[in-house]
Amino acid sequence: MIANNLLPWHEPAWQQLVEAAAADRLAHGLLLRGQGGVGKGLFARTVAAGLLCDTPGLALACGNCRPCQLLASGNHPDFVEIAPEEDKKQVRVEQIRDLISRLALTSTLGGYKVAIINPADAMNPSAQNSLLKTLEEPSARTVLILSSSQPAALAATIISRCQTVRFASPPTAAALEWLQQQGDADWPGLLQLAWGAPLAALELAAHDAAGMGATLAGQLDELMAGKADAVSIAENWAADHPQVRLRWLQQQVYGLIQWQLTGQAPELVHKTLQRSLQKLIPDLSLTESYRYLDQLQRVIGLADRAINQALTILPLLAAWSDGPQLGRAAETL
């Protein structure tokens, strides 16, 4: 592993850390927070490579020195990256304890010791508690980089002991310009489906998801017309990228609420659904729409957990049957 390229929208965050390092103010704990798909993991590895490189201070890794070569081969003795083990959803306390033991050792190459935990919000409570002492009393020239798309899952004590580096989705024009350099695809549609996150859009393109929005809108339309079974659709959503499908549904509900507030159909609502909902909007409860949105957000938070996804998705879809009657979701969730 070696990363020495920054994505265009990473430049402000990079300069923030370069200036902190130059002033000897680089924190021992860095929390990279922002939505998924904006490249926080790539940025974390770029920072790690820059710190471990023989180039003084924090700069893009040269790629030629011995530390860079060791990092590229996966054998750098002063670097470790922690993630959930294969087929696991959480970072276990044993992984963190092993990390702490390694960080307590003297640097083998005499430079920084760097660790990445990605995603940091995958640490279970015991793992977070174990990490806390290292954040409170770090050894010299040790940097812990935590990457999180769901920082609310982190203990307040963890967050308070880290320097926060925030990542937002780049402006649409900048994101599209970068995506167009990656190849041909329906980038505007994919970027919308990815909530403006370019790397998420790139991953969707790799899974041929360009037509997903139309497919999902068609499924909801059939549910509203009583022509489809919510159970079958829930199983379909659960089997393939459930979080992507749920986030698409979240977009539609945001648009639905905007429609209820303004009386105008926003572009966010798929055209297929606009036709179906046109006459129904006046009879929908805004309170029920907001409650449904809250319930949907909770289910999205469970989309990467080891649970029966179809059962959690089913009430959300059933609320659109012969409807939508979004208040019905509250009765079962």
Side-chain angles (χ1 to χ4, degrees), residues 21-332:
D24 199 25
R25 290 186 290 102
L26 188 65
H28 291 287
L30 300 175
L31 173 60
L32 315 183
R33 61 185 294 173
Q35 76 174 94
V38 295
K40 298 186 302 298
L42 177 61
F43 185 86
R45 291 189 289 274
T46 300
V47 172
L51 290 172
L52 295 168
C53 178
D54 276 344
T55 303
L58 176 58
L60 292 178
C62 72
N64 299 316
C65 65
R66 183 166 178 256
C68 282
Q69 292 174 354
L70 287 170
L71 192 62
S73 67
N75 294 313
H76 198 297
D78 298 323
F79 172 77
V80 61
E81 185 165 7
I82 300 294
E85 296 170 337
E86 189 175 358
D87 298 328
K88 302 293 184 181
K89 298 295 184 181
Q90 292 187 326
V91 172
R92 299 180 300 107
V93 66
E94 290 80 7
Q95 292 175 269
I96 298 301
R97 287 172 178 164
D98 179 65
L99 169 65
I100 292 169
S101 297
R102 293 183 61 175
L103 294 179
L105 301 173
T106 303
S107 170
T108 301
L109 300 185
Y112 275 99
K113 293 174 291 180
V114 183
I116 295 173
I117 304 177
N118 183 23
D121 44 73
M123 288 188 290
N124 63 33
S126 296
Q128 292 191 41
N129 288 334
S130 183
L131 183 68
L132 187 57
K133 183 173 179 60
T134 297
L135 283 171
E136 291 174 335
E137 302 174 8
S139 55
R141 292 173 67 79
T142 297
V143 176
L144 276 165
I145 306 174
L146 281 61
S147 176
S148 175
S149 300
Q150 300 180 54
L154 293 173
T157 46
I158 294 281
I159 296 174
S160 67
R161 285 161 176 80
C162 293
Q163 176 184 350
T164 295
V165 183
R166 298 181 184 276
F167 292 81
S169 293
T172 300
L176 289 175
E177 180 181 0
W178 181 80
L179 285 167
Q180 287 161 1
Q181 296 171 7
Q182 314 308 312
D184 295 327
D186 175 23
W187 294 124
L190 289 167
L191 190 64
Q192 181 180 8
L193 194 59
W195 283 86
L199 271 68
L202 198 63
E203 182 178 358
L204 289 172
H207 289 88
D208 196 26
M212 184 183 291
T215 300
L216 300 181
Q219 290 174 331
L220 284 191
D221 191 52
E222 290 187 346
L223 278 174
M224 286 190 286
K227 298 178 180 179
D229 174 30
V231 173
S232 298
I233 296 176
E235 291 174 348
N236 174 263
W237 283 29
D240 185 21
H241 291 81
Q243 194 167 63
V244 173
R245 285 163 165 72
L246 290 170
R247 289 200 176 278
W248 174 86
L249 181 58
Q250 187 181 43
Q251 286 182 334
Q252 301 310 300
V253 179
Y254 272 121
L256 183 63
I257 290 172
Q258 184 179 343
W259 195 347
Q260 290 174 273
L261 290 171
T262 66
Q264 299 293 325
E267 291 186 6
L268 199 60
V269 177
H270 196 278
K271 293 188 183 303
T272 297
L273 296 180
Q274 287 186 28
R275 291 191 293 269
S276 301
L277 291 168
Q278 187 71 49
K279 295 181 180 180
L280 302 175
I281 288 292
D283 297 325
L284 296 181
S285 164
L286 187 60
T287 298
E288 288 183 357
S289 296
Y290 276 117
R291 287 177 178 169
Y292 182 91
L293 189 63
D294 289 341
Q295 292 157 352
L296 176 55
Q297 183 58 51
R298 287 198 290 272
V299 174
I300 288 173
L302 298 173
D304 61 349
R305 304 292 174 86
I307 59 175
N308 189 320
Q309 301 291 347
L311 286 179
T312 62
I313 294 172
L314 177 58
L316 294 170
L317 293 176
W320 291 81
S321 297
D322 302 315
Q325 301 176 52
L326 302 184
R328 292 190 305 195
E331 300 169 3
T332 51

